[in-house]
Amino acid sequence: MDSTDGGSESELIRALWTGLGLPGLVDVHTHFMPANVLRKVQAFFDGLGDGVWPIRYRETEDERVAMLRAFGVRRFTSLLYPHKPAMAEWLNGWAADFAARTPDCLHSATFYPEPDAARYVTDALDSGARVFKAHLQVGGYDPADPLLAPVWGALEDSATPVVVHCGSGPRPGAFTGPEPFTKVLSAHPRLYAVIAHAGLPEYGPFLDLAERFANVHLDTTMVFTPFTERMAPFPAAELPRLGGLGDRVLLGTDFPNIPHRYYDQLTALTALGLGDDWLRAVLYDNGARLFGADLERTG
C-alpha cells in the first residue's frame, strides 16, 4: 500500500469514512476486465505520452481486489464495454465468472447495438446482473439505435441501473453530449441511468437531465480532483444544484486506471463543503439503496 505522511492510503481512507459514521464505501465505477483487455486499456493511457495519464494502480487482479477491501469498499463493479460487435456477450461471460468468485463485486454486464443484444442482455439479467455499462465514446454508437430499444426497455422494466459514459470528456465522440442520451431517456423515462463522470465536461446539461428525470443519477468519477479540475473544472455556480441532488449522486472513482490516489477522490468530495449528510449519502447510502438492502445502514 502507498504510504503518506499521514499513514498508509488504506488507513487514511478508513479514517475518513469511519469519521462520518459509515460502515464503508460503495463505489459504482470501478473496472475489472480480462487481462488482455486491461492491457489494451492501459496501453491507450500510456500512449498519451510521458506523465499525461500515469496509471496509479497496476497490481495484479487479486491485489487490486484486496486493495479495495482494505480501503473499506463494501461493493464495487467490474464495468466493461465493447468497441465492436460480437464482443459484449464474451465480456458478460467473463464478468459473470468474476462476480461469482468475487461476491463483493456487483455482477456487471454490457451491450452493443447488434441483433443479439436483446437476447444476451436478457440472459445477463436472468443470471443476476445488477449493473450495466454503456460507453458511447469508446463504442462509437448512437444510444437511440433501434437495436438498443429492447435493451433500454429491459433495463427500465427491471429497474437495473446502467452507468453511461455519455459526456464528451476526455474527448468528444460522434454520439457524446447530452442530446443523444436525452432521446433514450425521453423514450424510457423510468430508466435508472448513472451518468458517468457527472457528464464531464457538460456538467450543467446533465444536471438538467437529473432534475428532469427522477431516476437519473450522477457519479463522481474523477470529478473535482486536481487532475480533472485542470482539464474540465466543475463550475462553482453549479455546486448548489449538485448539493440539491444529494440523494442521486454516487461515488465513482475509475479505479484502477486513475492518475491519482483513490484517497484523492474522497478528499476532493470532502473539500466541496456540501456537508457531512451529503458526503454520507454519496459515499455509501445512495449506492446501498440502489444496489441492495443488505447494505443499508440502520440507525
Side-chain angles (χ1 to χ4, degrees):
M1 295 288 175
D2 281 348
S3 357
T4 69
D5 291 339
S8 73
E9 185 175 18
S10 60
E11 290 171 338
L12 292 170
I13 291 170
R14 284 182 170 271
L16 190 151
W17 56 256
T18 55
L20 290 166
L22 291 173
L25 304 169
V26 177
D27 189 339
V28 303
H29 196 138
T30 62
H31 296 287
F32 288 87
M33 51 189 66
N36 60 324
V37 177
L38 180 62
R39 284 194 297 270
K40 290 179 180 178
V41 171
Q42 293 182 334
F44 168 79
F45 290 114
D46 292 343
L48 295 176
D50 290 343
V52 174
W53 193 295
I55 293 173
R56 183 80 182 190
Y57 303 101
R58 293 181 182 268
E59 289 80 2
T60 67
E61 181 180 284
D62 287 345
E63 289 169 336
R64 283 179 278 120
V65 170
M67 188 176 296
L68 288 179
R69 290 171 178 165
F71 292 166
V73 182
R74 297 279 305 280
R75 293 291 186 277
F76 52 93
T77 57
S78 60
L79 299 185
L80 309 106
Y81 42 88
H83 63 275
K84 60 184 179 180
M87 184 179 180
E89 189 169 14
W90 168 69
L91 290 173
N92 289 350
W94 185 92
D97 289 343
F98 182 76
R101 65 178 186 269
T102 316
D104 38 353
C105 179
L106 296 167
H107 181 170
S108 309
T110 189
F111 50 84
Y112 192 84
E114 53 193 338
D116 283 347
R119 175 192 56 78
Y120 63 68
V121 165
T122 298
D123 289 346
L125 288 169
D126 289 344
S127 70
R130 299 176 68 184
V131 60
F132 280 72
K133 174 64 184 268
H135 203 313
L136 306 187
Q137 180 196 44
V138 170
Y141 59 81
D142 184 350
D145 188 308
L147 289 169
L148 291 180
V151 169
W152 299 121
L155 297 178
E156 180 182 39
D157 291 343
S158 62
T160 303
V162 53
V163 178
V164 187
H165 186 128
C166 45
S168 298
R171 61 181 65 171
F175 300 102
T176 60
E179 292 82 7
F181 194 61
T182 298
K183 296 177 184 177
V184 172
L185 291 170
S186 296
H188 304 278
R190 295 178 293 110
L191 183 69
Y192 278 85
V194 180
I195 307 301
H197 307 276
L200 177 157
E202 295 105 343
Y203 299 115
F206 282 107
L207 283 167
D208 293 342
L209 282 186
E211 291 173 344
R212 177 180 169 189
F213 296 97
N215 292 337
V216 169
H217 295 62
L218 307 171
D219 83 28
T220 66
T221 303
M222 293 188 64
V223 186
F224 313 111
T225 64
F227 180 87
T228 300
E229 284 290 289
R230 290 192 296 270
M231 175 179 65
F234 190 92
E238 299 286 19
L239 283 175
R241 286 214 290 166
L242 189 73
L245 288 166
D247 61 337
R248 284 188 283 131
V249 180
L250 303 163
L251 174 65
T253 62
D254 241 351
F255 177 91
N257 301 317
I258 48 178
H260 50 72
R261 297 177 302 170
Y262 193 101
Y263 181 61
D264 294 341
Q265 179 73 72
L266 306 181
T267 57
L269 295 173
T270 302
L272 296 178
L274 293 175
D276 287 355
D277 287 344
W278 186 87
L279 276 175
R280 280 188 279 266
V282 171
L283 298 183
Y284 189 86
D285 291 337
N286 294 341
R289 184 182 65 253
L290 198 59
F291 290 110
D294 60 313
L295 286 169
E296 289 185 6
R297 292 189 294 149
T298 56

